[in-house]
């Protein structure tokens, strides 16, 4: 996950991912809440994808290096 920061510019707060500004909002608390919710959503979407990729079909071929 990228590093997020919240920077105050005038009366507004800007959420940044790395050096890229991605959101401008009036409340720092709301900005922090949105960043937390977005991170949770990204983690919940990433978890099922990893489990599907790690599933391996069983092999029917014997491992000949283990057969005497």
């Amino acid at each position: 996950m990228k590093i997020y920061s919240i920077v105050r510019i005038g009366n507004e707060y800007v959420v940044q991912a790395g050096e890229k500004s991605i959101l401008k909002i009036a409340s720092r608390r709301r900005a922090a809440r949105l960043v937390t919710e977005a991170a949770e959503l990204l983690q919940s979407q990433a978890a099922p994808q990893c489990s599907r990729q790690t599933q391996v079909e069983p092999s029917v071929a014997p491992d000949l290096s283990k057969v005497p």
Side-chain angles (χ1 to χ4, degrees):
M1 188 172 105
K2 291 185 178 184
I3 303 297
Y4 291 95
S5 61
I6 301 171
V7 180
R8 185 175 183 179
I9 299 176
N11 292 333
E12 299 178 319
Y13 293 91
V14 177
V15 177
Q16 296 178 332
E19 294 183 17
K20 186 179 249 185
S21 297
I22 58 171
L23 176 69
K24 189 185 287 188
I25 195 161
S27 167
R28 179 165 172 53
R29 287 183 183 170
R30 182 73 175 137
R33 188 177 317 135
L34 289 172
V35 168
T36 302
E37 290 173 1
E40 290 172 356
L41 285 172
L42 288 172
Q43 288 177 352
S44 70
Q45 288 180 347
Q49 291 175 353
C50 293
S51 65
R52 277 189 246 134
Q53 291 174 351
T54 57
Q55 291 179 352
V56 178
E57 293 292 324
S59 174
V60 293
D63 185 1
L64 298 178
S65 65
K66 302 292 181 182
V67 177

